[in-house]
Amino acid sequence: MTNSRKEPYLLFYRLTGIIPDNLDLYEMAMCHKSTGVKDSKGNSVNNERLEFLGDAILNSIVADIVYHQFTDKEEGFLTDTRSKIVQRESLNKLAIELGIPKIMQLSSKNGALHGNNVFGNAFEALIGAIYLDQGYERCKQFIESKLIASCIDVNKMAQKEVNFKSRLIEWGQSNKVPVEFEVIETFHDRRHELTFQTHVLVNGLVGGLGVGHSKKESHQNAAKMALKKLQEDEDFIEQVLQPKPELPVDEEKAELTTENTEPIEVPETTVQEENAEQTNDPIEN
């Protein structure tokens, strides 16, 4: 193996603790679509497919860990705890600590729009690469050592309260974008418990749907989905940040609401008829 070929292997070994069998997978995991890289057949080469796979593998492994750690907890608690562990904020932070930004292939264009989410996405793509290259068990060891053992206290994370609604409202205020929550449906679930379904509008566009046994819970779940969409869907972000055109003023309505509007004259005969109905007296001609 030449020295030029050894360097990438050492790079990913230092990053993951794994010597790759298929180096191309790891290099693809670090390639963002903004680079415009294509293969010999003209197909786009980027980490989106690996990110999709890595996201699923990460959720599966974290679900396995949470399931065995909290043996007396119900489904809702387990789902909530898993979501807190794999939240974008945690993955972005870990990706930066691992040094992913230093080896990430990313176009400088639209850098402000990408933010740091590309690094968390690349971490998920790296998980996808490890899974394809080394298998499920080795991938689980990587997640346990890099994410769980070194960065996250699972018990503390389970007790952490995350106010997604406040975060979304703060985002709207900082970007001068209106955020509105609306309960669109109420129904009884299979346990006959009253359930609320809420959607959240971000600058008039539906950003997320949330279901819960209280309005507060449904708002939180809708906000959580909207935040994820704002972090990952670049088309949605562009639409949301587009200024809304001002509506034209209806000239006819404007005339009716001006101070110079003249009073409406009521015919005298109409007044006489109304008085007659109230007093039951005949109208005098």
Side-chain angles (χ1 to χ4, degrees):
M1 185 183 298
T2 63
N3 289 333
S4 62
R5 196 58 180 158
K6 281 181 180 179
E7 187 175 340
Y9 279 92
L10 290 173
L11 191 69
F12 285 106
Y13 175 74
R14 293 191 185 105
L15 184 71
T16 64
I18 296 168
I19 299 176
D21 288 334
N22 185 349
L23 182 62
D24 291 342
L25 288 172
Y26 296 79
E27 292 180 332
M28 186 183 295
M30 296 297 108
C31 185
H32 189 259
K33 69 176 182 179
S34 63
T35 59
V37 175
K38 296 185 182 297
D39 62 17
S40 58
K41 297 180 180 178
N43 299 317
S44 178
V45 177
N46 59 66
N47 64 5
E48 288 189 340
R49 284 171 54 83
L50 285 173
E51 178 194 337
F52 163 79
L53 178 61
D55 176 66
I57 298 298
L58 176 63
N59 275 276
S60 173
I61 290 173
V62 172
D64 186 1
I65 294 169
V66 170
Y67 177 84
H68 287 96
Q69 181 141 345
F70 301 100
T71 57
D72 59 338
K73 298 295 184 180
E74 295 183 355
E75 177 190 1
F77 174 89
L78 300 177
T79 300
D80 189 45
T81 301
R82 179 188 62 185
S83 297
K84 291 173 183 175
I85 293 173
V86 300
Q87 64 182 311
R88 188 61 49 190
E89 182 180 343
S90 300
L91 299 185
N92 287 334
K93 181 180 177 182
L94 177 58
I96 293 169
E97 289 176 354
L98 286 175
I100 283 178
K102 296 178 182 178
I103 62 174
M104 183 81 188
Q105 297 181 51
L106 177 67
S107 170
S108 59
K109 295 179 180 179
N110 298 325
L113 183 62
H114 300 319
N116 287 334
N117 294 325
V118 291
F119 304 133
N121 295 342
F123 177 74
E124 289 182 331
L126 182 61
I127 290 172
I130 294 171
Y131 169 74
L132 291 176
D133 186 51
Q134 301 285 321
Y136 183 88
E137 286 302 322
R138 187 67 186 89
C139 189
K140 183 179 180 182
Q141 291 172 13
F142 169 76
I143 291 172
E144 286 177 327
S145 64
K146 295 295 184 181
L147 180 62
I148 304 299
S150 60
C151 298
I152 290 176
D153 184 327
V154 176
N155 290 296
K156 187 180 293 185
M157 186 66 73
Q159 297 170 7
K160 180 182 177 182
E161 287 292 333
V162 180
N163 193 330
F164 297 106
K165 183 176 180 179
S166 293
R167 285 188 182 181
L168 182 60
I169 291 172
E170 288 172 5
W171 183 93
Q173 290 172 343
S174 64
N175 289 278
K176 298 181 180 179
V177 169
V179 175
E180 301 172 280
F181 292 83
E182 295 180 359
V183 175
I184 57 176
E185 186 180 5
T186 57
F187 56 93
H188 288 86
D189 64 11
R190 64 177 184 269
R191 298 178 181 176
H192 306 291
E193 295 182 15
L194 183 62
T195 304
F196 298 85
Q197 184 175 30
T198 291
H199 71 196
V200 58
L201 302 174
V202 184
N203 205 11
L205 300 174
V206 176
L209 291 172
V211 176
H213 291 130
S214 67
K215 289 182 181 179
K216 179 180 178 181
E217 184 183 3
S218 69
H219 285 188
Q220 285 287 340
N221 290 331
K224 180 180 177 182
M225 183 181 293
L227 286 169
K228 183 176 176 64
K229 195 169 184 178
L230 286 169
Q231 291 169 339
E232 299 179 356
D233 190 335
E234 294 177 5
D235 291 336
F236 180 70
I237 297 171
E238 289 180 340
Q239 292 174 34
V240 162
L241 295 179
Q242 285 287 336
K244 294 293 183 184
E246 294 184 6
L247 295 175
V249 178
D250 191 325
E251 294 181 1
E252 293 182 1
K253 291 182 178 179
E255 289 177 2
L256 291 174
T257 57
T258 58
E259 295 180 358
N260 296 327
T261 303
E262 297 180 358
I264 300 173
E265 295 182 0
V266 181
E268 187 177 349
T269 54
T270 303
V271 175
Q272 289 178 339
E273 290 172 0
E274 289 179 355
N275 291 337
E277 288 178 1
Q278 293 175 3
T279 58
N280 295 322
D281 294 334
I283 300 174
E284 294 180 3
N285 295 322

